[in-house]
Amino acid sequence: MTVAAEPARTSERDWWLRALLVLQSPRPVFAALRNDSREAVEARQEPITALVLLGGMAAFLLEPNTRHLTDQTSVDGLSIAVLVFLAGGLSGLISYWLGGAAIYAGAKGAGAEASYRRARHVLAFAVVPLILSLLLVWPLALSLYGADLFHRGGSDTGVAGDLLTLAELACAAWSLGLVAVGFRVTYRLSWTRSALALLLTSAAFVALLVVSYAVFHGAGGGG
C-alpha cells in the first residue's frame, strides 16, 4: 500500500464508523457531511451505497404487501430472501434519488444553501435506524415465526405482530428524526426552519411519487 493511499483508506474507515455513530451521536456525523471535497465524497461512497441498499431492503419489509407474499403462491424462504434483496435494493436506489431530491427541495425551500449530492448523503445516513430493524428486529421475528411473517393470518398475528409493527414504526420515526437533525446540523437551520424543511420534504416526496407513478403507468398504458 502506498503512503498516499493510506489516508484515503483511513478516511473511508471513518465513514463506516460514522454509520454506527449516527445512532448514538448524530450531530458530528451530519456536521461531517458539510465537507464536499472530492476526497471526502469519494471516501463515503462505499458506506453510502451499502446504507442505501440495506435501507431499501428494510423499507421493502415495511410495506404491507410484503407481509402477504405467500398468500397466493407457495414461495420458499430462499425465494423471499432473493426478492427482498433484489426488490429492496432497487427500491432503495430509487428512494435514494427521489428522497434526495425531496430533501434538496425542503432545504432550499427553508432557505438553506443546498446541493443535491449532499441531500442524498443526508438521507443515506438518516436511514440507519431502519437498517437496525433489518439487522435486529427481523432476525428475531424470523426465528420466532418463520414464513408466517409473510402470510395473512399466520402465528405472528395479534400482540406479537403488533409489537413487530411498532418496532418497525419506531425505527422509521427515528429515521425521520435524523432527517430533521440533518437539516439542523448539516444545513445550519434553526429548529423552526428544520421543521419547515421536513414538511416541505414530505410534500415534495409525495409529489415525486405521484409524478413517477403517473409517468410509469402512462408509459405502460401507451405501450
Side-chain angles (χ1 to χ4, degrees):
M1 182 185 301
T2 64
V3 175
E6 181 62 28
R9 291 182 65 87
T10 300
S11 183
E12 182 178 321
R13 183 168 62 248
D14 289 344
W15 280 104
W16 283 109
L17 293 174
R18 287 185 179 109
L20 298 175
L21 180 64
V22 74
L23 295 171
Q24 178 186 4
S25 184
R27 286 178 175 271
V29 176
F30 287 110
L33 289 176
R34 297 174 192 154
N35 185 354
D36 277 335
S37 67
R38 181 177 62 84
E39 294 77 10
V41 170
E42 289 179 354
R44 58 186 183 239
Q45 281 304 318
E46 287 191 14
I48 283 175
T49 300
L51 294 178
V52 168
L53 295 177
L54 290 171
M57 286 184 269
F60 180 75
L61 289 170
L62 269 174
E63 296 180 11
N65 290 337
T66 305
R67 296 297 182 86
H68 310 307
L69 287 175
T70 62
D71 283 357
Q72 302 299 325
T73 59
S74 178
V75 181
D76 59 23
L78 179 60
S79 299
I80 292 175
V82 171
L83 180 61
V84 170
F85 177 77
L86 295 178
L90 178 60
S91 174
L93 291 173
I94 294 173
S95 297
Y96 175 63
W97 294 99
L98 292 182
I103 288 177
Y104 172 74
K108 293 289 286 187
E113 293 184 7
S115 71
Y116 182 30
R117 179 173 61 192
R118 184 183 295 176
R120 298 196 308 270
H121 292 185
V122 167
L123 176 62
F125 282 91
V127 300
V128 173
L130 275 181
I131 298 172
L132 192 66
S133 74
L134 177 68
L135 300 180
L136 296 182
V137 176
W138 274 91
L140 175 62
L142 286 170
S143 68
L144 293 174
Y145 305 113
D148 278 358
L149 289 169
F150 306 99
H151 178 69
R152 189 189 303 272
S155 60
D156 63 314
T157 55
V159 175
D162 292 341
L163 289 176
L164 175 60
T165 300
L166 284 175
E168 292 176 315
L169 291 177
C171 289
W174 190 355
S175 287
L176 193 63
L178 286 182
V179 174
V181 174
F183 283 128
R184 177 74 176 94
V185 177
T186 306
Y187 296 108
R188 297 185 174 95
L189 295 174
S190 66
W191 279 117
T192 301
R193 286 187 175 274
S194 296
L196 172 61
L198 194 61
L199 181 63
L200 293 173
T201 294
S202 301
F205 188 66
V206 171
L208 287 170
L209 287 178
V210 170
V211 171
S212 300
Y213 181 86
V215 170
F216 177 79
H217 284 269

